[in-house]
Amino acid sequence: MSIKHWLHEARLLLGIERSTTRHGEKLISGLGAFLGILAVYWGTRWCFPDGFMHTAGTLIMVTSMGATAVLLFAVPQGALSQPWAVIGGHLLSAFVGVTCQQLVPDQTWTPALAVGLAVAVMHYARCMHPPGGATALAAVIGGAEIYKLEYFYLVAPILINVVSIMAMAIAFNAFFPWRRYPAHLTRRQIAKPTVTAERQFELTQEDFSAAMEQLNSYVDITAENLTQLLELAKQHAEKNITHPEQIIPGHFYSNGKLGNLWSVRQVVDAANHANANKDQVIFKVVAGAGGYATGICLRSEFRQWARYEVIPQPNGHWKKLTDDDV
């Protein structure tokens, strides 16, 4: 097997996804996180200029806010980033952490108990927010100044930190229509649906809900965004005819399938023989199932396999060839 094949398998094994965001979006996320943490610092200092409970050295912000900044400004549409996830995730986890420290202090397993219970509570309260685990942990290992706060820890620094960073997330993301926060405020302009081709089976939101339940794993996407993604994908599919008329050497073709069955082939050479039984195509698989393998088949067989022509994108993804690309 080639080095490219091994690198492809390693990428899949490690879960390294191809980037789908432009450079501008990456820079916006970084700037937003910078402003978010500044808001946390200055918001807490404004509320408590002399520190908490007259102790100037007491913690102004918890480190878990750094992880929250990543979610609010890099993944503002994610399920883990929504207001109830942030508020409930931090406050409930803080309550669990303080309670564990008071009931079973100075035990080697107390930090593990706090994080484990926090995860379970967030699951049941439907406010899963990964930084909440760090908030619970800080209540147990934060030291004497944190212990002295007791349940006031939920108010300062946690609640004030949360309100500050969420206020910045709402204000900052409002400047960019495609990433307004909370996700419910996002108003993407969906093109007018095309005439739906007759299908034996039509995917519905209920189908996706059932599939997610069967998957039995937390998926970081809201039902609203999932439905919108499904509709956009259906509209995109309906605009393209299937099976290209020409099979051209050097061009790329996709079988249009999903998941592990998806594959992209590049035509290396084509005989263009007058006899259909000898008109063969040599190809190599450049993405998806059977990556980097080569093969040969009749042109008619290749055309039946190929659903449409595609063109490679700079971010490693593939785009259907349309009239605008010709």
Side-chain angles (χ1 to χ4, degrees):
M1 296 184 181
S2 67
I3 295 178
K4 285 186 176 181
H5 174 79
W6 285 113
L7 290 176
H8 175 70
E9 290 297 320
R11 181 180 66 80
L12 295 178
L13 183 64
L14 294 174
I16 303 175
E17 291 293 329
R18 299 187 185 278
S19 176
T20 58
T21 57
R22 298 181 178 88
H23 294 297
E25 181 69 10
K26 294 179 175 67
L27 295 175
I28 289 171
S29 298
L31 176 61
F34 169 78
L35 294 175
I37 296 301
L38 275 184
V40 170
Y41 178 79
W42 289 113
T44 309
R45 285 297 300 269
W46 181 77
C47 292
F48 295 92
D50 299 321
F52 309 147
M53 300 175 68
H54 309 293
T55 305
T58 301
L59 193 64
I60 288 180
M61 72 174 81
V62 288
T63 55
S64 57
M65 288 300 136
T68 294
V70 174
L71 291 172
L72 291 183
F73 297 99
V75 199
Q77 303 302 315
L80 302 177
S81 309
Q82 299 315 297
W84 173 235
V86 178
I87 297 170
H90 278 297
L91 292 181
L92 292 177
S93 296
F95 178 83
V96 169
V98 173
T99 301
C100 287
Q101 175 58 27
Q102 291 196 346
L103 295 180
V104 284
D106 304 322
Q107 300 295 321
T108 57
W109 45 269
T110 302
L113 177 65
V115 175
L117 287 177
V119 170
V121 168
M122 286 189 288
H123 252 308
Y124 279 106
R126 294 182 291 180
C127 58
M128 185 58 66
H129 188 62
T135 297
L137 187 62
V140 177
I141 67 172
E145 289 187 336
I146 294 296
Y147 302 155
K148 194 187 314 182
L149 294 174
E150 297 183 341
Y151 286 103
F152 188 69
Y153 173 69
L154 275 71
V155 178
I158 302 304
L159 180 60
I160 296 175
N161 281 189
V162 167
V163 170
S164 298
I165 198 168
M166 283 190 58
M168 179 56 72
I170 293 171
F172 179 80
N173 289 319
F175 287 99
F176 312 100
W178 66 92
R179 54 181 291 151
R180 283 175 183 155
Y181 180 83
H184 184 67
L185 298 179
T186 302
R187 292 294 181 264
R188 292 193 179 97
Q189 296 297 321
I190 301 179
K192 183 179 180 180
T194 55
V195 178
T196 305
E198 291 185 3
R199 297 190 182 98
Q200 184 178 2
F201 301 104
E202 178 73 29
L203 285 176
T204 66
Q205 183 171 347
E206 290 74 19
D207 293 328
F208 269 85
S209 298
M212 292 174 69
E213 183 176 351
Q214 185 176 355
L215 183 62
N216 195 28
S217 179
Y218 197 94
V219 180
D220 188 21
I221 185 171
T222 63
E224 183 180 14
N225 280 0
L226 182 61
T227 305
Q228 187 178 67
L229 185 63
L230 170 61
E231 178 59 29
L232 288 171
K234 285 162 56 179
Q235 291 179 24
H236 195 265
E238 288 162 4
K239 288 191 282 187
N240 297 273
I241 60 174
T242 59
H243 304 301
E245 295 183 2
Q246 294 182 318
I247 304 300
I248 305 172
H251 288 212
F252 302 90
Y253 301 88
S254 171
N255 62 357
K257 296 185 180 296
L258 298 174
N260 294 332
L261 299 178
W262 171 75
S263 181
V264 174
R265 295 175 178 178
Q266 181 183 22
V267 177
V268 177
D269 194 12
N272 199 23
H273 201 283
N275 187 341
N277 293 326
K278 296 182 179 181
D279 190 12
Q280 296 180 321
V281 170
I282 301 174
F283 64 87
K284 66 177 179 180
V285 180
V286 295
Y292 305 105
T294 58
I296 184 171
C297 66
L298 294 176
R299 185 186 298 269
S300 58
E301 294 174 344
F302 188 94
R303 185 173 181 274
Q304 185 61 33
W305 172 89
R307 184 175 176 187
Y308 41 73
E309 186 175 347
V310 294
I311 51 178
Q313 301 297 294
N315 58 14
H317 286 260
W318 297 85
K319 175 186 174 183
K320 290 181 182 178
L321 185 68
T322 62
D323 293 338
D324 295 335
D325 300 311
V326 177

